[in-house]
Amino acid sequence: MIKKSSKSRLTVKQLAEYPGDTLFERIARAVCRAGTLPAKELYEAWEVARRVRRRYRGGRVVDLACGHGLLAHIMLLLDDSSPEALAVDTHLPLNAATLSEAMLARWPRLRGRVYLVASPLEEIVITGDDLIVSSHACGMLTDRIIDRSIKAGARLAVLPCCHDLARSDTGGLEGWLDGPLAVDVTRAARLRASGYAVVTQHIPEEITPKNRLLMAHPSGPAPF
Ligand SMILES: C[S@@+](CC[C@H](N)C(=O)[O-])C[C@H]1O[C@@H](n2cnc3c(N)ncnc32)[C@H](O)[C@@H]1O
């Protein structure tokens, strides 16, 4: 049985672990065939995407600080009404293209709709129609993603990590809450103060202890 927090790559040796016909197992088999992705990233991307898609449908998906970019692919698989997805990272791993090709080979309807973009996220033009997602954008990078989303009026979902207590805003709450939680609560409060409705959830802790999922959408229009 594979440990969901494992940083070992999934390869064809693990194919037998995912014998079923659920979408998750089919994705897992494509990931195994690609042979490029740590198990943990598969489970994280899946758990984030399914929660986000229960709330937010449609829109161009913009996966910022995407690493291997699996989240962008799963977001389209879970909702075909999104026309396309950008997967953006300053240092796209070489394996990102290999993984993407494995996903496109299995789901040809994604071909021509997922763009791997090697760029700082600060240079990506975001609009109010976009759906911003980001899994484990370290420290202040999550704050920059929130800033960009608010400026554009875009829906967003972030799974923060590597909290930088020296630089991030703790809202003065660290007397009551542990530091990283204070930072995330302050992020949520900031989104509310910016006219956003906030939704907070967790992904399973057995995958990662950095498991707080912060979703938000401009509070005027309906989230879909
Ligand atoms: C911890 S990794 C997360 C990768 C992936 N989202 C995941 O969940 O596995 C953080 C990523 O942020 C990227 N990154 C750092 N600064 C960035 C920036 N300014 N713009 C875009 N990506 C950036 C890094 O190259 C790295 O791939």
Side-chain angles (χ1 to χ4, degrees), residues 35-154:
T36 58
L37 196 74
K40 175 173 177 280
E41 290 184 32
L42 164 67
Y43 288 98
E44 280 171 357
W46 172 253
E47 295 293 343
V48 168
R50 63 201 286 257
R51 284 167 176 75
V52 176
R53 278 311 199 189
R54 273 188 219 131
R55 296 270 169 184
Y56 302 145
R57 302 189 73 78
R60 180 183 70 157
V61 172
V62 184
D63 179 2
L64 295 175
C66 68
H68 291 92
L70 182 63
L71 178 56
H73 293 77
I74 299 179
M75 290 292 290
L76 290 195
L77 285 181
L78 289 179
D79 179 13
D80 233 3
S81 72
S82 280
E84 62 184 27
L86 298 190
V88 180
D89 201 293
T90 38
H91 298 97
L92 278 177
L94 289 177
N95 284 332
T98 308
L99 177 64
S100 182
E101 188 47 45
M103 295 293 288
L104 303 185
R106 177 61 187 80
W107 287 279
R109 71 174 191 272
L110 298 187
R111 212 170 270 288
R113 294 170 58 202
V114 182
Y115 300 91
L116 302 180
V117 183
S119 163
L121 63 89
E122 294 79 358
E123 290 178 12
I124 301 299
V125 176
I126 295 171
T127 78
D129 293 329
D130 290 336
L131 171 53
I132 310 303
V133 292
S134 186
S135 175
H136 288 171
C138 310
M140 296 289 290
L141 203 52
T142 288
D143 294 298
R144 294 218 285 283
I145 291 168
I146 292 173
D147 289 346
R148 300 287 321 278
S149 303
I150 291 174
K151 204 165 173 199

Side-chain angles (χ1 to χ4, degrees), residues 185-203:
V185 168
T186 302
R187 286 169 170 156
R190 177 160 172 254
L191 281 158
R192 296 254 311 169
S194 304
Y196 274 67
V198 165
V199 181
T200 53
Q201 295 188 2
H202 288 101
I203 69 166

